[in-house]
Amino acid sequence: MRICVFNAKGGVGRTTTTLNLAGYYASNEEQRVLVADCDPQGSALGWAALAEETPFTVGRSRSRGFDIELIDMPPRIPDNGVLPDADLYLVPTLLDGVSFVVFLRTVALLEEKQLPFLVLANRYNPRRAEHRARLDSPPMAGALVIRERSAFASYYAQGRTVFDMGGRHIEEAQREIEQIALAIKKRIAR
Ligand SMILES: Nc1ncnc2c1ncn2[C@@H]1O[C@H](COP(=O)(O)OP(=O)(O)OP(=O)(O)O)[C@@H](O)[C@H]1O
Ligand SMILES: [Mg+2]
């Protein structure tokens, strides 16, 4: 199975989603997982360099011999307009206005190409009216959700995913990632 984590907007949580989802598949499903860091910024590779040991492989390119491959994309639409082949495209977005404009363009591209995708509202804060309003209206209605959580900010510097972390609220963070994995499974089986 190949999942491409894609949004043309920067800083929306592509790398955070990619690495923690990889952590879920490797830890809970004991799958052989590859994260292909296709972003010249090399954030996923940088995370792996911080880790003592990673439960999955992080590489610069795609490779055979893995059950699950997650592609961490750069924050742009590829110049030639061609996206990597994938079984599913996962589109994390923030819920502020600036992020939303580029998110809508990203979704339009996937729809135009008739590619299967799931939308993920990242850093959701239910106390913010702007977030609540966007989450309730199309095309966000029914989207997957990751809340704004310190665990998703601190995992990176620790070279871990939330599946190797302990502490208060970590279980809630783990459950959000698990929900994404379940939704992916359902969407691909359709
Ligand atoms: N749910 C969350 N809660 C708190 N902080 C988050 C959350 N998701 C992401 N972040 C923080 O937001 C920042 C951007 O996240 P991330 O690097 O995953 O986004 P990206 O789309 O991969 O960005 P880039 O364009 O640099 O590749 C990071 O500092 C990350 O720790
Ligand atoms: Mg990134």
Side-chain angles (χ1 to χ4, degrees):
M1 173 168 82
R2 187 182 292 144
I3 303 158
C4 180
V5 184
F6 172 59
N7 183 343
K9 181 82 178 75
V12 295
R14 286 185 312 279
T15 302
T16 299
T17 307
T18 302
L19 292 173
N20 284 288
L21 203 47
Y24 169 79
Y25 287 127
S27 311
N28 290 46
E29 296 197 358
E30 290 174 24
Q31 306 260 25
R32 285 167 301 172
V33 184
L34 171 70
V35 167
D37 188 346
C38 292
D39 184 350
Q41 294 180 105
S43 302
L45 288 161
W47 169 85
L50 291 169
E52 246 167 58
E53 190 187 4
T54 59
F56 49 85
T57 303
V58 184
R60 205 173 284 282
S61 58
R62 288 155 50 179
S63 180
R64 296 205 187 123
F66 293 92
D67 304 311
I68 296 182
E69 191 184 329
L70 291 152
I71 306 172
D72 186 14
M73 292 286 284
R76 73 178 85 95
I77 288 169
D79 291 342
N80 57 11
V82 180
L83 294 169
D85 256 355
D87 298 298
L88 184 79
Y89 296 78
L90 181 62
V91 188
T93 182
L94 305 185
L95 294 162
D96 64 282
V98 180
S99 299
F100 220 68
V101 171
V102 184
F103 161 72
L104 292 175
R105 226 187 294 141
T106 302
V107 164
L109 177 76
L110 292 166
E111 280 173 342
E112 180 195 312
K113 292 179 178 290
Q114 299 187 319
L115 295 170
F117 68 90
L118 283 175
V119 171
L120 166 64
N122 186 30
R123 302 188 76 160
Y124 172 61
N125 181 343
R127 278 177 298 195
R128 287 185 57 178
E130 183 191 23
H131 286 194
R132 290 198 308 273
R134 285 226 164 76
L135 196 58
D136 278 348
S137 49
M140 293 306 291
L144 296 159
V145 174
I146 292 180
R147 286 199 188 198
E148 170 80 27
R149 291 182 191 280
S150 57
F152 288 122
S154 62
Y155 85 98
Y156 190 91
Q158 297 185 36
R160 298 180 188 189
T161 74
V162 294
F163 296 95
D164 321 298
M165 289 163 71
R168 273 178 77 222
H169 305 311
I170 290 292
E171 275 175 27
E172 289 165 20
Q174 292 174 347
R175 217 169 306 129
E176 285 176 336
I177 300 295
E178 190 176 353
Q179 287 305 314
I180 297 169
L182 292 176
I184 289 172
K185 202 179 204 176
K186 239 173 146 179
R187 182 70 175 77
I188 287 179
R190 208 162 86 183

